[in-house]
Structure formats: C-alpha cells, structure tokens
Amino acid sequence: MNEALLRSLTPSVLAILGRRGADFAAAEDAVQEALVEALRVWPADPPRDPKGWLVTVAWRKFLDATRSDAARRRREDLVDEEPAPGPAPAVDDTLQLYFLCAHPSLTPASAVALTLRAVGGLTTRQIAQAYLVPEATMAQRISRAKRTVSGVRFDQPGDVATVLRVLYLVFNEGYSGDIDLAAEAIRLTRQLAAAIDHPEVAGLLALMLLHHARRAARTAPDGSLVPLAEQDRTRWDTATIAEGIEILQAALARDRLGEYQAQAAIAALHADAPTAEETDWVQIVEWYDELTRLTDSPVVLLNRAVAVGEADGPRAGLAALAALDASLPRYAAVAAYLHERDGDLATAARLYAEAAQKAPNLAERDHLTRQAARLNSRRGR
C-alpha cells in the first residue's frame, strides 16, 4: 500500500467533493473514511484508477452521512449527481484547496492551522511546534476552526497572505522536519507566482529556492546535521541559487518590501558568500532590522542576536540575546553558541546539553548532544 499516493490524492478528492456541494467538515470526514477503506481494500484488490475510486467512495460516504442528519431531504437530489465510474480528470486542485481552506470566516492563524492539518499532511504536534504553542492548545484551535467552517460551502476563498503563510510553514516542515514537503511547497509556490503578480509571492519563492539549494550539504552521510559554516559549498545547487537571486532582485526592484523578501535577502547573502568567513554579517544584521520592523517576531530577534554576534562579536550577541525571553525555542542553543565564541566553554557545554533536551527532532538533539560532548572533552584535556 502506497500511503504517499493516498496523501497526494487527498487534496484533489477534497476539492472535487467541495465543487459537488459538500461543506468542508463533511468532505474531510468522507475523504478520511474513504482513505481508511482504501487501506483495507487496495492491498488485495488495487483499483486501476485510484483517484476515481477515492472520489466515488468518498462521495458515497458523504451521501450516507448526509442522509443521516436533518438535512437529508434538502440533499437527496445530490444522489443524481454522483460521479460516474471511470477515470477522474487529471487536475491538480491542491493550490485551489489551500485558498478554499483559508476561509474568510476564520482568523488567519486558524486558517493556516486547519490547512496544514487537512491538506498539508502535518500532525497537530508539528503545527504546534511551528506556532510555538502547546499541542493541546493547537488541537483546540484546529477543532474550533473545523466547527466554524462546518456547513460552509467552498465558494469563498481566503486571501493570498494566509496561503503564503501556509506554504511557508509547509516548506519549513519539509526542510527541517520529519515529512518531506519542501519540494511540494516549492511546486505550489511556483504555481501561485505564475498566477499572481505579487512581490511577496516572488519573495517566498526566492526564499524557498535559496534554502533548498543548500539542502544536499545540510546533512552528513550518517544523517547528522552540518551547520551552515561547516557545509561543503561545492554541494550547493548554484543554478537554483542563481534563479532565487534573480527572482528576489526583480521583487525588490518593485519597492514593496515584505517579510518574505527580507528573509530571502538574508538567505541570498549566505548563498553568495564563497566561504563562511566572507559572509557579509553587517548587511545581514541590517536585513534583520528590516525584518524586525515588518514582523516584530521573537524568532527573528533570536536569529538577529546570532548575526550581531558574528558582526560585532559574541558579547554584543549575548547582549542582544539578554533582551529576549529565555523560554523561546532554540534560545539555549543560541546562547551556547555565543558563549562558546566568547570562550566560556563550561557555560556553553551546559547550555548545549540543555538545548538538546528541548530539541524538536532527533537530528537536532543528536547534534546538540555532540556539541556538549565536544566542549566537555576539550575542558577535560
């Protein structure tokens, strides 16, 4: 059973049900039931047309559920519209579904969370980590969003900003998390850039390309993380970097700066440096200042502290870090790095060990644990 195939077909099946009159909550429930049925039936009797099979079964599940509630009489005429057996149209509805999930009746944060869960394939835990909130809080937010759109038709798509936020988070999870979604996020953002002339759409696409170009160098053969300063830059995809920079320059020339353009500018400065030592950290700090004015994000301020430490020395970085909340994710890791740069190996080792305990994934935990062990070994000599 190819679960990846099922996941890839889900957005299209959801969109088809929506166009045929199903509200979001009912459509999602019906598709989930169809997926369960597929997992049960397909290993022994795989269909010739998986998408058509899912559409037919999900539609029947939807109709069965519809007949059981008070709206049965109003919806019985939908039976005649049941899709005929046979191949389903080969249409990619994923981006359309992103817009439809970003419904005007939802707050942007709730729309993003719901879309990530229903369409992006992320778990509630992964979404909670992206939002820096407890998993239980995010579960309640998603449940409320589902209740809000229950009974709402798929005819009021949301705005571009919300969809961009979803694509950004999907890419981040694919780039650094447990599910490989980065390429899918890039594909959808390319579609959006082709359909909408918007500098922030271009900025997001440039940001994704610049980060994705370095992906091959981010891990060692044993799967361990390789920090940016230690990466083999000959493994970076120079063609993708050039494309990202070209897209970014065209967006910046329009003088409508947004957060994704600013982030892409920072990524471009990293990508453009021949070596880690030649990185233009002063200009990176300036871009972080712009990004802070645009977002006032604590995560941006955390990253800015690292850049300040590189541009003006570790003590300046520690001073910038001291103004931030120590409970921020990766705060301890940043503090450890800056203390190591400042020569305080004992404090750095302790903070690396503390950061390892809070790491969001196994690869990062192992990397931080090795950093702590390395410093403890140096101190013991």
Side-chain angles (χ1 to χ4, degrees), residues 44-312:
D45 184 21
R48 285 177 301 193
D49 177 22
K51 182 177 176 181
W53 188 97
L54 283 173
V55 169
T56 300
V57 173
W59 184 255
R60 288 173 180 164
K61 297 287 185 184
F62 164 70
L63 291 178
D64 288 344
T66 299
R67 293 189 189 99
S68 68
D69 63 29
R72 177 179 58 83
R73 291 183 180 85
R74 297 195 306 271
R75 298 178 183 259
E76 281 182 343
D77 58 336
L78 296 176
V79 175
D80 295 333
E81 298 179 18
E82 179 176 339
V91 178
D92 183 359
D93 297 299
T94 308
L95 187 58
Q96 178 195 15
L97 197 61
Y98 272 61
F99 273 96
L100 293 172
C101 288
H103 197 273
S105 63
L106 296 173
T107 64
S110 294
V112 169
L114 178 62
T115 312
L116 290 172
R117 184 71 186 92
V119 188
L122 273 64
T123 66
T124 303
R125 176 182 60 82
Q126 290 167 323
I127 302 169
Q129 289 174 350
Y131 269 91
L132 311 180
V133 300
E135 184 174 348
T137 300
M138 183 53 64
Q140 292 175 353
R141 183 180 299 178
I142 293 172
S143 295
R144 285 196 300 270
K146 287 183 176 181
R147 287 195 299 270
T148 299
V149 298
S150 179
V152 170
R153 294 290 294 270
F154 282 68
D155 57 1
Q156 290 181 282
D159 65 351
V160 174
T162 300
V163 173
L164 287 178
R165 181 64 179 166
V166 174
L167 290 169
Y168 174 73
L169 291 175
V170 168
F171 177 82
N172 280 349
E173 190 59 42
Y175 191 70
S176 61
D178 303 322
I179 300 175
D180 185 5
L181 295 168
E184 173 68 358
I186 291 173
R187 184 183 70 83
L188 293 173
T189 307
R190 283 191 187 279
Q191 286 187 9
L192 189 58
I196 300 176
D197 184 19
H198 192 298
E200 273 293 79
V201 176
L204 179 58
L205 178 57
L207 174 63
M208 290 179 175
L209 292 172
L210 290 165
H211 278 300
H212 205 62
R214 303 198 305 261
R215 189 171 187 179
R218 291 185 70 247
T219 54
D222 63 359
S224 59
L225 292 180
V226 180
L228 176 61
E230 300 172 18
Q231 288 176 14
D232 179 359
R233 299 187 177 215
T234 64
R235 300 184 65 197
W236 290 2
D237 185 340
T238 54
T240 300
I241 289 173
E243 181 187 4
I245 290 175
E246 182 180 359
I247 292 170
L248 172 63
Q249 289 174 336
L252 291 175
R254 301 178 64 176
D255 199 24
R256 290 169 54 194
L257 184 64
E259 62 174 299
Y260 299 118
Q261 295 169 73
Q263 288 190 58
I266 294 168
L269 287 167
H270 283 297
D272 198 43
T275 65
E277 293 73 23
E278 296 174 86
T279 303
D280 189 346
W281 286 106
V282 173
Q283 194 172 167
I284 287 175
V285 171
E286 292 173 355
W287 276 111
Y288 271 121
D289 289 340
E290 291 285 352
L291 192 53
T292 299
R293 284 191 283 272
L294 290 166
T295 68
D296 196 29
S297 163
V299 176
V300 170
L301 292 171
L302 190 66
N303 291 330
R304 180 184 178 278
V306 176
V308 169
E310 298 289 352
D312 301 327

Side-chain angles (χ1 to χ4, degrees), residues 332-357 365 367-380:
V334 170
Y337 174 75
L338 291 171
H339 277 290
E340 180 183 357
R341 289 277 318 282
D342 196 39
D344 187 352
L345 302 189
T347 300
R350 175 180 59 79
L351 288 169
Y352 275 130
E354 178 185 327
Q357 295 177 350
R365 186 189 70 189
H367 171 73
L368 293 167
T369 300
R370 283 194 295 271
Q371 295 293 84
R374 174 179 58 82
L375 293 186
N376 284 325
S377 175
R378 285 176 57 185
R379 291 171 56 220

